[in-house]
């Protein structure tokens, strides 16, 4: 395996963010076959659509110059709430790792890099995670805690939790 590097998300990375959102949202379980289909799903599309808005922050992991994962933050408002919405000042985190690249600490590297930037700009960060997702342990190790009464059934029919990390 080659060297793993992390860099900021650029406007030209939007197509890759759609691909990582496809992975992060388990869209294949709902019969979707490509990231392009997410553009027609408002509850998912707002995680990427129009990337580069004020408050958007993200990092891309690359192995030998080839993108293999992304983690990003977006601010949502109550009238456009996302799955892990907490309040209008707390951005929600999304993360995806390319198939065939999972299990190689890419998620940890992405989370560490993104949270390092986030702590200089925000008081907290939230996310939504499936209760059975092994990444839940990583999020807990990084300091995220489950928001009480946040369990909800996601579109795939499983239970997801909202988690919050406060920097101060």
């Amino acid at each position: 395996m080659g060297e793993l590097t992390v860099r900021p998300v650029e406007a030209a990375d939007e197509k890759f963010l759609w691909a990582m959102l496809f992975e992060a949202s388990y869209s294949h379980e709902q019969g979707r076959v490509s990231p392009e289909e997410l553009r027609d799903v408002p509850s998912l599309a707002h995680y990427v659509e129009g990337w580069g808005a004020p408050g958007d922050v993200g990092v891309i992991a690359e192995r030998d110059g080839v993108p293999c994962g992304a983690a990003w933050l977006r601010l949502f408002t109550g009238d456009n709430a996302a799955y892990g919405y907490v309040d209008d000042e707390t951005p929600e985190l999304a993360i995806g790792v390319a198939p065939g690249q999972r299990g190689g600490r890419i998620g940890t590297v992405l989370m560490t890099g993104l949270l390092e930037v986030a702590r200089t700009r925000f008081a907290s960060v939230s996310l939504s995670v499936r209760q059975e997702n092994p990444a839940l342990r990583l999020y807990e190790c990084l300091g995220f805690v489950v928001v009480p009464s946040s369990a909800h059934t996601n579109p795939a029919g499983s239970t997801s939790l909202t988690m919050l990390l406060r920097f101060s």
Side-chain angles (χ1 to χ4, degrees):
M1 291 219 155
E3 180 184 0
L4 185 66
T5 58
V6 175
R7 64 168 176 79
V9 172
E10 301 167 356
D13 294 316
E14 187 174 325
K15 183 176 181 179
F16 186 69
L17 291 181
W18 283 106
M20 293 301 93
L21 179 62
F22 184 82
E23 297 302 324
S25 65
Y26 296 89
S27 282
H28 63 281
E29 291 181 3
Q30 286 133 39
R32 296 186 194 101
V33 296
S34 76
E36 289 74 32
E37 293 177 73
L38 300 181
R39 294 177 189 275
D40 297 326
V41 183
S43 63
L44 293 173
H46 66 174
Y47 282 95
V48 176
E49 201 164 57
W51 177 261
D56 288 353
V57 178
V59 294
I60 301 268
E62 296 180 333
R63 190 172 303 284
D64 296 329
V66 177
C68 56
W72 64 101
L73 298 172
R74 284 205 113 165
L75 283 167
F76 296 103
T77 58
D79 62 344
N80 186 33
Y83 291 111
Y85 176 82
V86 173
D87 59 45
D88 289 2
E89 289 78 39
T90 303
E92 185 176 341
L93 188 148
I95 181 171
V97 176
Q101 298 290 323
R102 297 182 185 125
R105 300 192 40 83
I106 293 171
T108 301
V109 169
L110 285 166
M111 290 293 292
T112 303
L114 183 61
L115 293 175
E116 185 177 304
V117 175
R119 80 176 57 254
T120 68
R121 299 179 67 177
F122 303 103
S124 57
V125 171
S126 68
L127 58 81
S128 178
V129 61
R130 285 182 175 200
Q131 201 166 20
E132 70 276 4
N133 188 331
L136 180 68
R137 288 185 292 285
L138 168 63
Y139 304 147
E140 289 172 333
C141 287
L142 291 169
F144 282 85
V145 295
V146 173
V147 174
S149 303
S150 67
H152 62 277
T153 302
N154 60 44
S158 61
T159 300
S160 290
L161 304 169
T162 298
M163 299 185 81
L164 182 67
L165 172 63
R166 295 191 191 281
F167 293 121
S168 49

